[in-house]
Each structure stands twice: as structure tokens, then as C-alpha cells.
Amino acid sequence: MNETNTMPTSAESIITQAQMHTMNSAFTTQVQAINSHGYHSAPRGLAVREIELAHMEIDPRFSVPSFPSRPFNWKYFMGELSWYMTKNGDIEWINHFSNFWKSIAEHGVANSNYGALLFGEQLQWVKDALTKDPQTRQAIAFVNQPRFQYEGNKDFVCTMYLNFWIRDNKLHMKVQMRSNDMFYGLTYDAPFFATLMQTMWYWLQESNPNLELGTYHHCADNMHFYERHFDLADAIAEESATPENPIFFLLREPLFYVNNGQYVISTAGTLFLLDVSQLVNSEQPFGQEESQEILNKYFYIQ
């Protein structure tokens, strides 16, 4: 594992260039768009503000949305990432970080553990497709599945697919969502999917050392937020969202690999899971500071 706390020179220059959209600016733009020309609706009787066919272009190194009125929750992100890495939909682990999943899981098991849905054959297909033909248009990982179409499903997987492609020697990715809650979903989806994009980038550098990171396209057929977040959304819309101090967030090295369709946790991934487990099992209260301290071992964060 890379033990150094200093970012690579290329990363330092990226911060000053900020050539593409940061998640802060993309998030704020979406909130403003929803407030200015979105719709009011009430699926399942719950009031929302929404917009159709949302599309955000994000620099995958600036995927963390954080605002004065809503600082990013590093504790939850750490917990969700470690939960995905277990590939186990049982919510006992993620309950240490949030009670959210208790309200939608059936018999204590969630459908939307993205590790269970992606870490293995789906990402293997993407890696193999791009390795064999860097110009391919078939490097897609499917997420939502027909088996989730049943009456009364409260955890109907939001992500449909991830599409990867290489042009001009840059790796690009599109994430297609059927629906995305900006506060409970997008906030943590974006840095997670950016982490997956960076993971794929590292894997592909084995055969193409000069491959660069391109653009992360995040698309949702319906982008929305619920009434409980109306005031918060208004506060964020009014805040300055210029990318003066965006959070730089780059994976130091892969936390896992795929080999013949099998999921293999790397040394760094094993240490990450051990660090999180020790924190949880210490039975001592922990929060943002302790969580970010762990994440700093495995990501460049600035």
C-alpha cells in the first residue's frame, strides 16, 4: 500500500487547473435547476421537487459534494464503502453508520448493495472488453435487474448501468440512474462511482500505463429531493459554489481486483476493512475525524 501522505505531482496540478466540473458546482446547478423549472410531485404520497433527464459532467477527482450548510458525511461514506466491499446485503454492518436502510430493507437484507451487484463478473466484463479493444462500445456493467421488479419493493435499485469507454486515451464513464435522491443518494453515489472509475483506471493502466482519467457523466431520468430537504436545498442554492476549495478525492491504489470473474480484495482493501472493523468494534464513539483519518490512508484527500 502507498504509505506516503503527499499527493502525486499530477494531482497537485489538477487542483489548480480544475478543468472540469466539480461535484459542488454540479450539485448546486442541479438544485437551482429543480427550484427554477422543475416539477412538484408526490410519488407514494411523498412531496418532492424533481427534474427530468438530469445530466452532470464531473471531474472524478472532485466527486465529493460538501457545503457549509451540509458538510460531507465521511463516516457514512466510509461505512457504505466497507459494506459494499463485503458484497453482503445484510444491513447489520451498515446500521453502525446509518439507520436509513432499516426503513427499506426486507427481512434485514437490502437489494442495493452495489458490491454484490458489481464486484465480480460485471466489472470483469468491462475490464476485459476495454483491454481487448480500447475503442469498444460494449464495456457496460449492469446493475438493476428484472428480479427486483416486484410489488411492494422499497429498495428498487436506482442505478441501471455503468458505461465505460476510452477516447483520446482517456477513460470516461457514464452512470445511468432511473431515479436519484440528491441528498440520500447522489451525495454518496458520486464519490463511490468515482472510486469505481478510478479503480478501473488503475486496472487498465497495467496494459496502458499512459491512460488518463476522463469525465464522469452522471445521468438520472429523475433527479429529485424530498420535502424534508426543501429548506436545505434552498440554503445550498444560495451559497457560493465556485470551485475555489473543492475536495480533491483520489484513490491511492485499488482496494480490490477481479480475476476470472472472481472478486479479490487487495492488501490495501484488507487493511481498510480491518481499520473500519477495529473502529466499529472498539465500542467507542467515532465520527467525522476518526473516519477521515482512516480514509486518508487509502485516498488522497485535500
Side-chain angles (χ1 to χ4, degrees):
M1 191 181 78
N2 187 344
E3 297 290 345
T4 179
N5 289 321
T6 60
M7 290 186 296
T9 302
S10 59
E12 294 173 351
S13 64
I14 290 168
I15 289 179
T16 59
Q17 294 170 6
Q19 293 178 340
M20 289 185 288
H21 296 290
T22 68
M23 191 58 214
N24 264 23
S25 61
F27 193 102
T28 302
T29 297
Q30 283 299 314
V31 169
Q32 292 171 339
I34 290 173
N35 282 349
S36 65
H37 56 271
Y39 299 93
H40 289 260
S41 64
R44 305 187 311 281
L46 301 173
V48 299
R49 296 177 188 166
E50 63 183 13
I51 198 167
E52 298 173 322
L53 305 178
H55 175 208
M56 290 175 279
E57 294 186 10
I58 305 163
D59 185 324
R61 293 150 290 205
F62 295 93
S63 61
V64 176
S66 189
F67 303 93
S69 55
R70 192 184 191 240
F72 187 70
N73 188 336
W74 295 105
K75 175 182 175 180
Y76 180 75
F77 176 79
M78 179 186 71
E80 188 172 70
L81 178 59
S82 63
W83 181 51
Y84 290 162
M85 288 182 64
T86 69
K87 294 189 61 175
N88 189 341
D90 190 300
I91 64 171
E92 181 178 0
W93 178 252
I94 194 64
N95 286 344
H96 291 292
F97 305 90
S98 172
N99 291 320
F100 167 78
W101 293 94
K102 293 179 180 179
S103 64
I104 63 173
E106 295 184 46
H107 309 295
V109 178
N111 294 328
S112 295
N113 182 301
Y114 287 142
L117 298 171
L118 284 167
F119 298 177
E121 292 182 355
Q122 289 300 306
L123 291 184
Q124 182 76 63
W125 170 267
V126 172
K127 178 178 181 290
D128 290 349
L130 288 170
T131 300
K132 293 174 183 176
D133 179 5
Q135 299 295 305
T136 187
R137 296 168 298 192
Q138 299 180 5
I140 293 181
F142 292 102
V143 187
N144 199 337
Q145 302 169 10
R147 63 189 174 96
F148 298 130
Q149 291 177 307
Y150 57 88
E151 188 69 27
N153 182 5
K154 293 182 179 180
D155 184 17
F156 190 51
V157 178
C158 293
T159 308
M160 302 306 295
Y161 63 82
L162 282 61
N163 189 7
F164 296 81
W165 67 96
I166 297 173
R167 293 294 184 273
D168 296 327
N169 206 39
K170 293 181 180 179
L171 177 67
H172 303 281
M173 178 188 70
K174 174 189 175 185
V175 174
Q176 180 63 53
M177 317 286 291
R178 62 168 185 85
S179 176
N180 214 188
D181 181 329
M182 294 194 67
F183 290 95
Y184 286 156
L186 176 63
T187 296
Y188 306 102
D189 290 338
F192 168 68
F193 288 126
T195 298
L196 281 193
M197 184 179 180
Q198 293 166 18
T199 299
M200 185 62 64
W201 173 57
Y202 278 121
W203 293 350
L204 294 172
Q205 283 184 321
E206 295 176 6
S207 58
N208 183 359
N210 296 318
L211 182 67
E212 300 177 23
L213 273 173
T215 304
Y216 163 20
H217 298 266
H218 190 94
C219 303
D221 291 339
N222 183 287
M223 185 72 73
H224 60 268
F225 48 85
Y226 287 90
E227 187 173 18
R228 67 174 73 91
H229 291 133
F230 283 2
D231 290 343
L232 178 57
D234 291 343
I236 289 174
E238 294 174 1
E239 291 173 4
S240 173
T242 56
E244 296 174 355
N245 295 298
I247 296 176
F248 181 86
F249 190 66
L250 179 67
L251 186 66
R252 292 176 182 266
E253 61 181 282
L255 298 177
F256 68 93
Y257 295 92
V258 287
N259 184 15
N260 294 322
Q262 299 300 308
Y263 169 63
V264 181
I265 300 177
S266 67
T267 299
T270 300
L271 292 173
F272 169 66
L273 292 176
L274 180 61
D275 281 343
V276 180
S277 295
Q278 289 177 338
L279 189 62
V280 170
N281 295 330
S282 69
E283 298 184 355
Q284 298 296 319
F286 65 94
Q288 292 282 76
E289 183 177 350
E290 295 83 0
S291 302
Q292 193 165 358
E293 183 178 341
I294 288 177
L295 288 167
N296 266 310
K297 295 181 180 181
Y298 306 97
F299 295 85
Y300 298 106
I301 304 176
Q302 180 172 316

